Amino acid sequence: MALTTDTFFERIGSFGRFQIALNLFFNLCYLFWWAVPVMIMVFIASEPNWKCVNNSTCPFTDSISIRDERYKHRCNISRRDWRFEDDFTSVVTEFDLVCERGSWGLVSTSVIFAGFFVGSIVIGILSDKFGRKRPLFICGFFCWLFNFVSAFAPTFWFFALCRSIVGFMLGGYSIPVFVLAMEFSGIRHRGAAGALVWTGIAVGSQVLAGCAYAIRDWRLLTIVTGTPGCILVVGWFFTPESIRWLLKKGRVTEARDILSKVAKVNGKCMPEEALHLPNDEKIERLGDFPDLFMSAGMVHRTLASWLMWFAVSFIYWATAFSAPFIGGNVYINVVVAAVAGLIAYPLSAVLAVRFRRKVIIVVSFILSAVGAIGALLLSDDDDDKGYLIGKIFMSMVVARLAVSIAFTLIYIFTAEMFPTTLRNVAMGTSTAAARVSASLSAIAPLLLTVHRFLPFGIMAGLALAAAFVCLTLVETHNQPTAENLLQNEVCQPKNEKPGDKELVAKV
């Protein structure tokens, strides 16, 4: 009897030495090709407080931040009458992005996600056509390259162009990394593999905060933190192509060779049975964007996925980019948020094994809303240390921890909801929705100049809406992944245990 890919992994190691080594490498990818080029914008696109120089036109003696009601006073006086505090340099200070150009620094962060939006769609579709490995390393290398080149930008617009290219490449490689981590794990360990792969982002954020504290020049900081990423290209020689994608392309021999290597590294015997392959050409065709709307059930999954990704991304990145603006020490704020993320990822792995996906996601969204509302209510008095500590705790710990868990599980949930032939397209378009909200979240600090309640109020509303939508979806915990476009429409997931003979025969 032919065995499914899931059953093969149960025989040769669902999450053995091979998968652990692969997961560790992917963590390094997310550290140097994700955390560094994205999270560095918290520091190099930040704006120091400003102080008066000429007391005849500028009567203030203290330093003034974006949260201060006097923040816009500098736009009514001569540029010579005030200066930035010299705590650190950034693109804001170097290119003098103030007043009518004051939003440009945040725009340079926003364009990363605009590029990500395009890249996740374009490369997501190509990845289903040409495999996971090529976009991973080609886009990952160029992500590293243009992040490094941005340190030598002679003008702001050249810097912004480099950041948009970085974003495009991020969108191209980040989904294949996650999909490979998921596809090389068995049913029992998909959740753990998908959760642990993000640990590199939290570790990278902490390392980056330490580097930024020691290196206050934005160009040098970009060079020092970006350089090590070039080493990761050697991963090309030992990272395998997706087994499931190879089978969809009919490359059975290559798929079996890779499975043999997995079995050897894990110390298991390679099964002699054949790999299961559907024969129906209609079922076997690879999916495209229109297939996301091929039926009422698929439309429901697609739109719900887009909304959840939009919400979780906005909250995740808005809390991250708020670190310099909520008060207190920006370096400590970033470390606190990173520690919350570091706790969230292994916790997500444990929760993903023990509990249903929907329960975890809904509870996480509700806790995110609680954290955002708590931070909102504590925004009345920034001069009171108790209020400030409470606001940082609710936003950087409660909301950040909960939304990190939700983000991790949504990746897993989405990958499990859609069939292999459509998975990268579904993930690509879902992350595109996330990058739209991430682009908006990058300029969320500007809402503080409108009303201090706006950023956290929007976060709370989105979290509650996403929790409600999640409740309407089908549970995927401990269910085999669908392999073709019609499988989800033919039968709904049931609660059979993985490995049952009846289940293997049906799949």
Side-chain angles (χ1 to χ4, degrees):
M1 178 188 296
L3 301 180
T4 64
T5 306
D6 286 325
T7 308
F8 250 89
F9 277 116
E10 289 299 320
R11 298 272 192 91
I12 66 177
S14 180
F15 197 68
R17 290 190 292 268
F18 183 92
Q19 287 92 345
I20 291 172
L22 196 63
N23 201 281
L24 288 173
F25 174 72
F26 290 159
N27 267 279
L28 290 176
C29 290
Y30 276 124
L31 193 162
F32 290 110
W33 289 353
W34 175 285
V36 168
V38 176
M39 291 305 296
I40 198 173
M41 298 301 291
V42 172
F43 303 103
I44 68 172
S46 227
E47 180 180 326
N49 294 350
W50 65 270
K51 298 184 71 172
C52 295
V53 174
N54 185 348
N55 289 333
S56 62
T57 60
C58 188
F60 314 121
T61 58
D62 55 337
S63 63
I64 299 173
S65 71
I66 193 173
R67 303 183 312 279
D68 199 300
E69 294 179 354
R70 302 167 295 174
Y71 173 74
K72 294 182 179 180
H73 178 78
R74 63 183 181 176
C75 298
N76 300 322
I77 60 177
S78 171
R79 181 64 182 85
R80 296 189 300 270
D81 293 344
W82 65 272
R83 65 173 177 81
F84 285 116
E85 290 191 329
D86 56 1
D87 289 343
F88 60 88
T89 68
S90 70
V91 294
V92 175
T93 62
E94 174 147 348
F95 300 116
D96 206 31
L97 307 180
V98 299
C99 296
E100 67 274 7
R101 302 198 304 167
S103 63
W104 289 9
L106 297 174
V107 167
S108 65
T109 301
S110 185
V111 295
I112 293 179
F113 298 106
F116 201 125
F117 174 86
V118 179
S120 59
I121 295 177
V122 174
I123 308 299
I125 294 173
L126 293 177
S127 182
D128 273 330
K129 299 294 185 183
F130 301 107
R132 323 300 197 208
K133 183 175 177 178
R134 289 178 183 174
L136 192 168
F137 285 98
I138 294 174
C139 294
F141 172 76
F142 282 104
C143 174
W144 166 81
L145 178 64
F146 281 94
N147 175 61
F148 187 82
V149 169
S150 69
F152 304 93
T155 65
F156 170 76
W157 292 114
F158 183 83
F159 174 82
L161 175 63
C162 288
R163 303 319 294 184
S164 64
I165 296 175
V166 165
F168 181 90
M169 298 304 167
L170 278 169
Y173 95 86
S174 62
I175 295 303
V177 173
F178 178 79
V179 169
L180 276 174
M182 291 280 289
E183 290 186 344
F184 269 92
S185 302
I187 292 176
R188 293 180 294 112
H189 295 97
R190 278 201 310 256
L196 292 175
V197 75
W198 303 109
T199 307
I201 294 180
V203 173
S205 298
Q206 293 182 64
V207 172
L208 188 61
C211 292
Y213 181 79
I215 305 172
R216 301 301 180 96
D217 179 76
W218 76 272
R219 293 184 186 273
L220 182 59
L221 177 64
T222 305
I223 294 170
V224 170
T225 57
T227 299
C230 65
I231 301 173
L232 296 181
V233 294
V234 301
W236 171 270
F237 299 103
F238 59 81
T239 301
E241 183 55 88
S242 165
I243 298 293
R244 301 172 193 273
W245 180 82
L246 288 172
L247 292 177
K248 286 298 172 185
K249 300 293 287 186
R251 293 156 63 174
V252 181
T253 302
E254 292 178 56
R256 287 194 68 92
D257 288 342
I258 293 173
L259 288 171
S260 296
K261 293 177 183 178
V262 175
K264 183 178 179 179
V265 174
N266 287 344
K268 302 287 186 178
C269 294
M270 180 68 177
E272 296 181 359
E273 291 89 342
L275 279 164
H276 174 77
L277 283 172
N279 296 318
D280 190 332
E281 290 184 1
K282 182 178 180 181
I283 292 178
E284 280 299 289
R285 73 177 181 84
L286 294 172
D288 288 308
F289 181 80
D291 293 311
L292 292 172
F293 304 93
M294 63 182 293
S295 67
M298 192 68 80
V299 169
H300 177 211
R301 283 193 290 275
T302 298
L303 296 182
S305 177
W306 290 357
L307 176 60
M308 290 192 301
W309 280 75
F310 184 94
V312 77
S313 177
F314 185 92
I315 301 166
Y316 183 90
W317 290 112
T319 54
F321 295 134
S322 294
F325 304 102
I326 62 172
N329 186 293
V330 59
Y331 306 101
I332 294 177
N333 291 347
V334 171
V335 169
V336 168
V339 169
L342 193 59
I343 295 171
Y345 299 130
L347 180 59
S348 298
V350 174
L351 294 173
V353 172
R354 296 178 61 88
F355 300 100
R356 294 178 179 271
R357 310 289 191 238
K358 286 169 57 177
V359 172
I360 304 170
I361 293 172
V362 169
V363 171
S364 297
F365 270 127
I366 291 173
L367 288 177
S368 299
V370 170
I373 293 171
L376 182 153
L377 296 176
L378 292 169
S379 296
D380 282 332
D381 190 355
D382 285 343
D383 295 326
D384 188 292
K385 288 187 177 180
Y387 272 75
L388 179 58
I389 293 172
K391 182 167 66 171
I392 292 173
F393 176 79
M394 295 302 291
S395 60
M396 295 294 152
V397 178
V398 177
R400 182 70 172 182
L401 176 65
V403 79
S404 295
I405 293 174
F407 216 151
T408 302
L409 267 295
I410 283 174
Y411 263 94
I412 299 168
F413 194 36
T414 305
E416 293 175 339
M417 276 197 299
F418 293 91
T420 298
T421 50
L422 195 59
R423 187 167 299 126
N424 252 60
V425 176
M427 294 288 287
T429 56
S430 293
T431 56
R435 301 321 149 197
V436 172
S437 65
S439 298
L440 298 175
S441 73
I443 59 175
L446 287 179
L447 296 175
L448 291 169
T449 62
V450 179
H451 197 288
R452 62 184 181 277
F453 289 171
L454 272 179
F456 291 112
I458 293 173
M459 291 182 215
L462 285 173
L464 294 175
F468 175 78
V469 167
C470 184
L471 288 171
T472 67
L473 295 169
V474 175
E475 182 57 61
T476 62
H477 183 232
N478 280 349
Q479 301 299 324
T481 56
E483 299 297 334
N484 57 65
L485 290 173
L486 300 182
Q487 189 171 332
N488 276 348
E489 308 308 316
V490 173
C491 59
Q492 291 294 327
K494 297 181 181 180
N495 292 323
E496 297 95 344
K497 294 181 180 179
D500 288 352
K501 293 181 180 179
E502 180 183 354
L503 180 61
V504 172
K506 182 168 71 174
V507 175

